[in-house]
Amino acid sequence: MARTKTNLTKRKRPRASRGGKLRIGDHWNAINIIALSQTNPLKAVAEFVENCIDAQARHITIVRGRQKGRHYLRVVDDGSGIPQDEDGIPDFKFVATHICDSIKRQLKDREGEGIQGEFGIGLLSFWTVGEELQLTSAGADGTAYRMTMTKGSPDYRVTARKQLFSQEGTELVVYPLLAGVRQLSGERIQRYLSAELRDRIRRSSVEIRVIDRAARSEYRVEPRQFSGQLLHNLPTPQCDRGEIYVELYLSDPGPDNRVGLYRRGTRVLPSISELERFQCEPWSSGYLQGIIDASFLTLSPGTRRGIIQDDAYSYFSQCMLEVEKALQEVIEEHRRAEEEEASQRILRSVRRALREAFLALPREDYDWFDLYSSSRRAPEDSSETEALTGVEEGASGDSYRRDQELDEADTSPQREFFEFPGPLHSVVLSPRSAVVKVGESKSIRALCRDRSGRIVDESLHFSWCITEGEGRIEHAEGEFATFHASDTPGLTLIEVKVVQRDTRMTAGAALTVTDSLIDKHDGLRGPKKGLPGYTFRHAPGELWRSRMDFEQNLVIINNGHRDFVFASRQKNLKLRYICRLFGKELVLQNFPGIDRGKLLERMIELSLYTEEYLR
């Protein structure tokens, strides 16, 4: 009895777990999962085209049309067609019954490179495009055979087709298209294929046409061309697992600039920065376009988009370190050049705006930069050259006479057409705002310009008048008028009407009549050197925003100040900020010794007129 209990106890012990092999429990469910893994219909179309290229096709035609009110997609090529069996019939049975066991894998092993497919699931992607797939290919005797597959059905059928002429290559038809794919235009297909299969098209020299019968248009698929400057001197990645091909272009920064990741000529990622390892500069800088093709990466078989981050990926990342370093140096150099060019543009814009503002402001209040000097001595530096020659048309009788002298000196027959002014387009009074002491006079000029900003002085008729306030106008029918202030302080508004043939323009000015003027302490001013330039000094943590260097005639801007950092986020904001710093230095030097209230009034005055012309 005891022996029996011992035997029973031994029988009840659980057996030790053993290993085994994985297998698919429900084959049809697995096929469903594979067929629906491709969610991008454009990628599915690219799969169809790649099958044609793998079949050595020279010409591929993609037709998008409509038949009996239902949309279809047809892909026709002149390649070798479906491989034939022993009887010379296209081996559709192998295609349909060897999912995930592509016949191309065997061909690739025998024939080497040039064939891309390897998973045997490309045709199943038609489930994301349409309801039914019809694949037609010819046999050895020229008879056409068609295989038909239906979405959601495990069955397929092969039938012989009667036709008048033998058919070369393969014809694939997906009909009808799914509701969400009906708007898949021929232009979208063309753009996608030109980027997705860029290198495959270039290497195979295949000709691809997209005919959109619904839109009555035809497109030719050309390999995508990148803009920007091709980088020639990049180091070649040293790799013993396969070739890494790098073709990169440097262009102006923008969100559309991306570097695509390719594998054997087919794009697997639109941007390499989608990978966490490459979410850094230079790849995320927005300066680069181009492709990186690594033949040894492991492609994700389900979607055929993206790669497996395995040992091959890690090796690829290490190989790209030297290229990254070189690219970062190129981008930094390009950024420095951009900053210098941007600084020059900002300086030109600020100077132009200041000159235009000075035309509207009282000459006697803003003469520190020697903008109105009639002296024609040779300037000592480039900033003075621009200050003297850049003040178009001046703001006084002296500058006007200087313009007249230049015009009279340039009356040779060789004068170019574009040097002649066009018709009247605008009129501005100079100054448009001024302060006049009671009982004194003020000369005002009407600046008439064409659309390009050139001075217009022919066939003009002037009519000056006072529209509000007291005072008297002298020479009311000429380009220059003289305003005589009354003995009573107040505001006087002046208007001029200018007529040139059928064109009539009006401009106005505001003159403040006062019984006293601000003492500007002219003797305290420094030498007149023209409009200054500017430079940066990085001083984070310090409160000063700008300083004036009289010896160098430069405005020194603290680019480490928090306000500068904030303004640098946008070009227009940075331009206005620097312009205000120029205005601050100008006002400080023009009005020394006055109280803070009046100084702020002058700041507002100059900012108002300057920012109107800032662009």
Side-chain angles (χ1 to χ4, degrees), residues 5 47 83 123 145 304 335 388 478:
K5 286 184 178 181
E47 292 274 355
L123 285 181
Y145 295 86
R304 278 81 74 199
R335 280 174 173 163
L388 292 176

Side-chain angles (χ1 to χ4, degrees), residues 42-50 60 62 186-201 208-210 221-224 262 265 267:
L42 285 170
K43 182 67 175 177
V45 176
E47 292 274 355
F48 302 153
V49 174
E50 285 203 272
I60 302 173
I62 303 171
E187 184 179 6
R188 285 184 61 194
I189 295 174
Q190 182 262 346
R191 287 202 307 264
Y192 185 83
L193 293 179
S194 66
E196 188 75 7
L197 306 180
R198 178 180 182 269
D199 268 25
R200 293 223 68 192
I201 297 173
I208 304 177
R209 293 186 307 149
V210 180
V221 180
E222 300 285 354
R224 179 188 173 186
Y262 288 67
R267 187 175 66 178

